[in-house]
Amino acid sequence: MKDKRILVKGVEAIAFGALEGGCNCYFGYPITPQNEIPELMSVELPKRGGVFLQAESETSAINMVLGASAVGARVMTSSSSPGISLMSEGFSYLIALELPCVIVNVMRGGPGLGGIEASQGDYFQAVKAPGHGDGKFLVFAPYSCDEAYELTAKAFELADKYRNPVMILSDAILGQMKEPLTLKPLKIKRIKKDDWILNGAKDRPARVIKSLFLDSAELAERNRKLKKKYQMMEKEIRYEKIFEGNEDIIVVSFGSMARLCKEAVLNLREKGYPVGFFRPITLYPFPRFTLFKLAEASQRKKRFMVFELNCGQMVEDVASSICGRGDTYSVFYPPSILPFPEDIEKEIKKCLKYSNSPKV
Amino acid sequence: MRPEWAKFKPVNIKELPKEDWIAPGHRGCQGCGTVLPIKLALKVLGPNTIAVSSTGCMEIITSPFPFTSWRIPWIHVAFENAATVASGIEAALKALKRKGKISKKENINVVVFAGDGATYDIGLQFLSGALERGHRLIYFCLDNEAYMNTGVQRSGGTPIFAHTTTSPAGKVIHGKVGWKKNLDGIVIAHSIPYFATANPIFFADFMNKVKKASLVDGPSFFHVYSTCPTGWGAKSEDTVKLCKLATETRIFPLFEVIDGRYYILNRKIDKPKPVEEYLKIQRRFRHLKPEEIELFQNRINEEYERIVKLCEVFAPPKGE
């Protein structure tokens, strides 16, 4: 049978991905620009025997997620930047309690209520510290409808595998633009949770899910265990690169910005400019080692241009990854002012001009 | 009843100022029934008023950068915390007056304009705190019965069977499951000095209530009926008709509660119109079956009779 191809918005692709990934519970709260996810879920989930519930606030939505996850459901929520901030207490507890779930952040401009234009301003929040304490999420940043569909479905499996929340970091452009999506069946593994979920305690000792450890040795042990888990997650690192080894400039970007950059880079390469492209798909764990290898690939010192829709966040991760083996440049666009690919080409050419490399 | 009302005189419509403290040219939809109460309330309260808006239609349509429709000081923070921000403002004003930074005679009204989502759902905890602490503020809940600003999602204030994008009406589930939350009861239970329901179409009644609230030393709460042609699937020219029908069908009875104890019915509806008349001009109710309309009607009758009874039993003492 041929795969079904439909025209959908990015957020709908995420919702279809969740259904493919076996999501059976959705809890959410309205916020622009992700309202199509709860809308679609409110229609689709009851048909499949799942549960759709609209909470009375983001705080309660994330705690419903926590509850559903504790009894073993495949559960998700979605929100946008201000709502994600309100959920962050829940995030910390989800990480501490090692409860799997999928969280979608369709980023919009900030700080504060900001606007509803696209932004990548929540990079640090998603990657460095989703909540208080030492916790981390596994963070995926799709850049097309097809990728959003696949990654969201895969996110459910990985959340269960690592018993950790997985975040899909999208933004208003990716979320609201329409694009064809191929609804292909994916192989998403079901992972048994019988050994840890809360259910009846008949004929066996009762289980406890908690995050309070007043004994310091016990708490330290707990954090070490979590850290080990984050290191294991490095197996899931994904990225895309256009690189042959002798490029002078490597453009690094993720999400919607990567789409613009990729076009600019391909145009320049066609004209013979020595420009490469690197797009991390997992933002945490960050593909550090791969970037380091790119920097080391040839004797010539490389320039890493990091394009972002914020005031320069991922550039710090790129700089620390390449350990001084190249130069890092931050080209940033604050939320709501989007460049054209030609603008990006201009920026890259400007950077090339001051380079020592022979001009083409 | 309240000592503050000893010299209370009803609002004289002829003497009202010509100025509007909320400017025309905002981005409200055609036939928006939610701006109207703000306009009327501010006419009574005047320019010496600080308004706090929670996130919602009224915040979005009045403040697209770089424009503003507010001719009075206005602050907007997040979705849930309008009542708390207003509490902070009121407490600080008190302190500034005590220290002589602001003249003690200066009467600055602190008002909150919040939607039903911000009041029924996400802001309930914050509202409850503000009411319990007894700040001198006037809280207007502009109830248009769903999250209209984000594209019509259900809220705690959505009536039963209403179709919204997150309570879609299908073959099995007919719109929203469960009755509208009894917010009035929750607020009255805080025993605040003044509670009133208001329908902007009965403007004299509404403005008098606002005047009473502005005199009270403590929190006042208004549950304001607000139509939304866009979200309800009604014709924009039907706003006035809907407002009238809401009260005439007993769906939205007008009453006041003083100190959480004394109930006053403002408008007795002896010959109510059938709720069907109200329901049939809104597309959000078009899937309703006759038995569901009957269920709706019975519930409305019960609710109305309950309030009438309360007004009889807990009438304010005579001679005051």
Side-chain angles (χ1 to χ4, degrees):
Chain A
M1 203 182 89
K2 251 184 106 180
D3 294 334
K4 204 174 157 194
R5 233 166 115 75
I6 49 173
L7 187 69
V8 290
K9 284 186 179 180
V11 281
E12 287 168 337
I14 290 175
F16 281 120
L19 294 169
E20 181 63 33
C23 169
N24 43 25
C25 288
Y26 176 93
F27 305 105
Y29 189 70
I31 187 167
T32 313
Q34 59 81 47
N35 290 315
E36 291 81 356
I37 300 179
E39 272 170 36
L40 206 138
M41 288 305 207
S42 74
V43 174
E44 291 298 323
L45 273 179
K47 280 189 210 162
R48 297 161 197 238
V51 171
F52 165 86
L53 264 185
Q54 187 186 313
E56 77 278 13
S57 70
E58 280 93 353
T59 322
S60 90
I62 195 67
N63 286 301
M64 286 181 184
V65 167
L66 198 151
S69 183
V71 295
R74 277 204 159 163
V75 54
M76 82 176 283
T77 185
S78 63
S79 193
S80 179
S81 308
I84 291 290
S85 288
L86 207 51
M87 286 182 180
S88 64
E89 181 194 61
F91 293 166
S92 187
Y93 282 83
L94 280 162
I95 293 167
L97 302 172
E98 294 189 82
L99 295 175
C101 67
V102 175
I103 296 145
V104 179
N105 181 2
V106 185
M107 287 184 282
R108 58 191 248 184
L113 211 59
I116 51 171
E117 306 276 343
S119 156
Q120 297 181 330
D122 299 355
Y123 176 86
F124 275 159
Q125 191 188 24
V127 168
K128 304 289 179 196
H132 67 273
D134 239 345
K136 299 277 189 192
F137 282 171
L138 181 62
V139 184
F140 281 125
Y143 89 141
S144 70
C145 278
D146 276 329
E147 208 177 65
Y149 173 76
E150 272 170 48
L151 289 178
T152 313
K154 188 75 182 166
F156 284 90
E157 183 191 313
L158 295 180
D160 286 352
K161 183 177 170 189
Y162 294 104
R163 279 183 63 186
N164 201 64
V166 179
M167 181 176 261
I168 306 291
L169 196 64
S170 178
D171 62 54
I173 297 181
L174 294 172
Q176 293 298 317
M177 70 179 186
K178 279 204 160 181
E179 204 179 21
L181 164 72
T182 314
L183 277 179
K184 55 183 172 200
L186 301 169
K187 279 180 194 143
I188 304 298
K189 270 188 222 154
R190 290 231 154 239
I191 289 163
K192 274 198 173 172
K193 306 180 185 179
D194 297 340
D195 53 336
W196 62 267
I197 55 170
L198 293 187
N199 49 17
K202 205 181 170 199
D203 302 331
R204 64 161 176 79
R207 290 170 189 151
V208 175
I209 290 185
K210 60 154 190 167
S211 66
L212 178 69
F213 297 96
L214 290 175
D215 179 55
S216 46
E218 211 183 341
L219 181 60
E221 196 44 48
R222 176 100 183 158
N223 275 314
R224 275 204 195 95
K225 185 187 163 200
L226 291 177
K227 173 78 184 169
K228 205 174 272 174
K229 206 164 73 175
Y230 306 143
Q231 283 166 340
M232 270 160 61
M233 281 183 203
E234 281 175 18
K235 272 189 272 178
E236 310 302 334
I237 285 180
R238 295 174 184 215
Y239 54 85
E240 180 193 348
K241 65 174 178 181
I242 303 171
F243 182 72
E244 274 155 12
N246 51 357
E247 283 86 346
D248 287 330
I249 285 189
I250 294 162
V251 170
V252 188
S253 62
F254 73 97
S256 59
M257 200 61 198
R259 250 176 119 125
L260 297 167
C261 289
K262 196 174 172 183
E263 192 183 330
V265 169
L266 290 176
N267 282 346
L268 287 176
R269 282 175 76 92
E270 224 165 70
K271 292 176 201 155
Y273 287 93
V275 183
F277 174 72
F278 187 80
R279 175 172 74 93
I281 299 173
T282 45
L283 297 181
Y284 187 88
F286 196 72
R288 287 175 183 282
F289 191 58
T290 319
L291 263 174
F292 181 73
K293 276 200 290 188
L294 289 192
E296 291 260 281
S298 66
Q299 290 301 314
R300 283 232 293 278
K301 203 172 185 186
K302 290 182 180 53
R303 294 170 171 221
F304 288 82
M305 293 186 78
V306 186
F307 284 79
E308 288 173 276
L309 272 180
N310 53 38
C311 290
Q313 299 190 10
M314 189 172 70
V315 63
E316 293 185 14
D317 277 342
V318 173
S320 73
S321 301
I322 59 173
C323 301
R325 300 293 203 280
D327 296 332
T328 325
Y329 293 83
S330 172
V331 187
F332 59 84
Y333 302 89
S336 83
I337 300 168
L338 268 184
F340 288 99
E342 295 83 57
D343 301 328
I344 294 169
E345 282 177 39
K346 236 182 261 171
E347 289 287 343
I348 298 170
K349 280 184 196 163
K350 224 194 310 181
C351 192
L352 268 172
K353 214 162 136 190
Y354 300 114
S355 141
N356 300 326
S357 60
K359 265 171 244 161
V360 182
Chain B
M1 282 167 281
R2 296 282 308 181
E4 301 98 320
W5 296 338
K7 289 176 190 168
F8 175 79
K9 272 186 201 152
V11 174
N12 186 345
I13 305 287
K14 283 179 191 162
E15 283 170 12
L16 280 177
K18 279 186 182 159
E19 301 99 319
D20 278 325
W21 307 109
I22 180 153
H26 55 72
R27 297 186 179 182
C29 303
Q30 218 176 37
C32 175
T34 316
V35 197
L36 194 58
I38 299 180
K39 174 187 152 126
L40 294 176
L42 292 181
K43 264 201 194 297
V44 180
L45 296 171
N48 232 9
T49 302
I50 299 175
V52 184
S53 272
S54 67
T55 306
C57 276
M58 286 311 105
E59 171 250 329
I60 294 288
I61 64 159
T62 56
S63 66
F65 186 80
F67 308 109
T68 177
S69 297
W70 298 91
R71 290 171 174 160
I72 53 167
W74 179 76
I75 182 171
H76 159 251
V77 190
F79 199 177
E80 68 278 21
N81 50 13
T84 329
V85 172
S87 304
I89 290 174
E90 193 266 351
L93 285 178
K94 223 180 242 171
L96 290 171
K97 274 185 190 171
R98 219 180 286 140
K99 297 207 165 187
K101 307 262 181 198
I102 303 177
S103 157
K104 279 188 182 148
K105 286 176 195 159
E106 194 96 40
N107 181 29
I108 302 172
N109 300 305
V110 181
V111 299
V112 179
F113 293 109
D116 53 303
T119 312
Y120 279 77
D121 290 354
I122 196 167
L124 191 63
Q125 156 191 0
F126 302 86
L127 171 66
S128 176
L131 297 181
E132 184 266 330
R133 286 187 301 267
H135 296 280
R136 185 175 183 164
L137 51 88
I138 310 174
Y139 193 107
F140 291 91
C141 169
L142 308 169
D143 182 8
N144 57 18
E145 304 189 326
Y147 293 86
M148 298 310 181
N149 173 36
T150 46
V152 201
Q153 288 86 11
R154 77 177 282 277
S155 78
T158 307
I160 192 166
F161 303 136
H163 168 96
T164 69
T165 52
T166 55
S167 63
K171 275 183 192 151
V172 182
I173 304 170
H174 268 200
K176 195 207 170 192
V177 184
W179 301 100
K180 185 179 172 115
K181 191 193 275 187
N182 184 1
L183 181 74
D184 303 352
I186 297 172
V187 174
I188 294 164
H190 286 80
S191 297
I192 54 166
Y194 191 60
F195 166 92
T197 61
N199 189 334
I201 209 68
F202 302 107
F203 52 89
D205 169 78
F206 176 47
M207 288 191 320
N208 278 326
K209 285 174 176 171
V210 175
K211 194 171 177 190
K212 273 188 196 173
S214 70
L215 296 172
V216 161
D217 186 19
S220 324
F221 185 95
F222 281 87
H223 183 184
V224 187
Y225 177 79
S226 306
T227 59
C228 177
T230 315
W232 295 2
K235 285 182 190 155
S236 43
E237 64 263 33
D238 279 349
T239 290
V240 172
K241 192 174 166 189
L242 278 169
C243 283
K244 273 190 184 159
L245 278 175
T247 300
E248 283 171 1
T249 54
R250 295 177 169 179
I251 285 175
F252 196 84
L254 295 177
F255 66 103
E256 295 165 279
V257 183
I258 291 132
D259 292 324
R261 277 187 295 172
Y262 303 126
Y263 284 68
I264 304 167
L265 190 67
N266 301 119
R267 194 168 275 262
K268 198 151 196 274
I269 310 294
D270 289 325
K271 286 178 191 161
K273 290 186 174 161
V275 291
E276 201 178 348
E277 263 184 59
Y278 174 79
L279 301 179
K280 76 182 178 196
I281 52 174
Q282 299 174 52
R283 285 208 356 253
R284 61 175 174 158
F285 291 118
R286 67 178 164 179
H287 54 277
L288 259 64
K289 291 176 186 159
E291 58 265 30
E292 283 164 341
I293 295 176
E294 201 186 316
L295 201 71
F296 202 104
Q297 178 77 63
N298 291 343
R299 171 80 173 196
I300 294 300
N301 289 349
E302 273 171 35
E303 265 304 295
Y304 184 79
E305 275 154 27
R306 190 177 68 87
I307 286 162
V308 170
K309 200 155 229 173
L310 280 170
C311 293
E312 280 166 12
V313 177
F314 299 106
K318 274 182 186 143
E320 277 192 50

